[in-house]
Amino acid sequence: MIKFEHVSKTYPNGVKGLQDINLEIQDGEFIGIIGMSGAGKSTFIRTINRLNNITEGSLMVDGVEISTLKGQTLRQYRRKVGMIFQSYNLVPRISVIKNVMSSLVPDMPFWRVLLGLFSKEEKISALEALDRVSMLDKAFVRTDQLSGGQQQRVSLARTLTQNPSVLLADEPVAALDPVTAHEVMDDFKRINEELGQTVLINIHHVDLALEYSKRIIGIRAGKVVYDGPVSGMTQEILDVIYSKDEAE
């Protein structure tokens, strides 16, 4: 379980990224996070893997206050929190399977990293992850030969090899056409249902958020203005979330 208690984030320039966030996320939930650009959606999900440190409050994951984690303990924690970015972050000139196996590097001895040696079990794990996102047939293709949607699926497969309990996705389909965006969202939904992994997706497309999520968190000016089931979402609530009036 992830628990936010009076969490705020203020950047060095004084901008308030988050303001007094209080909520709980249960294991296995599929949550869509919506809001205007700059509302604090990315800040919110990046506090969970400590890419952003909170400045006030408490953020507990499975009973552990993550703001106190340091060094190896923090690195081990981050292995359980997978992150998928809009930009894929793949190495273009190597094969798909090597990109996927690159997620294993932090746990490998230096000499194996230096020589690029992966065990049979690690290769099988990478192939299984690719199979989960329907990319097994592209395992030995160079990554720069793939479409944007295919590259995002490879990015997702790479994250799956970490065996994370939580998947964070920061605008994973923003650069994709509608058909491909649905295909990638289908992958997230299937992983959530089959593996029971908690999924939090910061998503620009409200229609996709409402279609795939079971719970919506609406953020405006760093504050949670809606937190509830998709069935409770109304046009009036959407108007509040996407209001351009910043006078609060």
Side-chain angles (χ1 to χ4, degrees):
M1 181 178 75
I2 302 170
K3 186 174 184 179
F4 288 74
E5 289 188 327
H6 302 290
V7 168
S8 295
K9 166 66 178 180
T10 303
Y11 288 98
N13 62 1
V15 172
K16 295 183 180 297
L18 298 175
Q19 301 186 61
D20 197 30
I21 305 296
N22 292 279
L23 55 83
E24 293 183 2
I25 297 167
Q26 303 299 324
D27 294 344
E29 286 198 87
F30 193 119
I31 299 176
I33 303 162
I34 63 174
M36 296 178 66
S37 177
K41 304 187 302 297
S42 293
T43 301
F44 175 78
I45 65 170
R46 291 177 185 221
T47 60
I48 297 173
N49 63 358
R50 287 275 307 276
L51 287 182
N52 281 329
N53 290 315
I54 65 175
T55 49
E56 295 180 45
S58 171
L59 180 47
M60 307 277 287
V61 179
D62 295 332
V64 176
E65 176 59 64
I66 67 168
S67 63
T68 64
L69 300 179
K70 297 179 181 179
Q72 185 176 359
T73 306
L74 176 58
R75 289 191 293 272
Q76 290 173 344
Y77 164 73
R78 282 176 169 161
R79 297 291 289 161
K80 293 298 180 181
V81 183
M83 184 77 176
I84 295 94
F85 299 90
Q86 177 182 343
S87 58
Y88 320 135
N89 291 345
L90 301 173
V91 181
R93 295 183 178 274
I94 65 174
S95 68
V96 165
I97 191 170
K98 286 184 178 179
N99 266 287
V100 173
M101 290 190 297
S102 69
S103 69
L104 304 172
V105 166
D107 298 325
M108 292 170 56
F110 177 73
W111 66 270
R112 284 182 58 202
V113 175
L114 188 63
L115 297 175
L117 297 178
F118 295 91
S119 69
K120 179 181 178 180
E121 290 75 17
E122 288 166 341
K123 293 176 182 178
I124 291 174
S125 175
L127 292 171
E128 288 176 344
L130 286 168
D131 192 32
R132 284 197 176 277
V133 296
S134 304
M135 288 293 293
L136 184 59
D137 61 324
K138 303 292 186 181
F140 299 100
V141 173
R142 251 179 49 159
T143 307
D144 56 7
Q145 296 178 7
L146 302 181
S147 68
Q150 289 173 327
Q151 290 189 56
Q152 191 59 283
R153 285 172 152 172
V154 173
S155 176
L156 179 53
R158 179 184 58 190
T159 302
L160 290 179
T161 60
Q162 298 174 207
N163 193 29
S165 56
V166 178
L167 279 177
L168 307 176
D170 194 4
E171 297 283 7
V173 297
L176 306 180
D177 64 81
V179 172
T180 307
H182 274 90
E183 292 173 349
V184 172
M185 291 298 292
D186 284 341
D187 289 331
F188 279 106
K189 182 178 180 181
R190 185 171 59 255
I191 289 164
N192 169 254
E193 293 175 347
E194 293 179 357
L195 302 181
Q197 291 175 340
T198 306
V199 176
L200 289 90
I201 296 185
N202 166 16
I203 189 164
H204 176 71
H205 303 286
V206 176
D207 56 336
L208 289 178
L210 297 178
E211 179 179 350
Y212 285 92
S213 307
K214 294 181 180 178
R215 174 182 172 187
I216 297 290
I217 295 175
I219 298 179
R220 179 178 180 275
K223 300 177 181 178
V224 173
V225 295
Y226 179 79
D227 178 13
V230 172
S231 59
M233 181 61 63
T234 64
Q235 186 58 51
E236 288 76 13
I237 294 172
L238 286 173
D239 289 343
V240 171
I241 295 171
Y242 289 95
S243 170
K244 293 183 180 180
D245 179 12
E246 295 297 331
E248 281 195 5

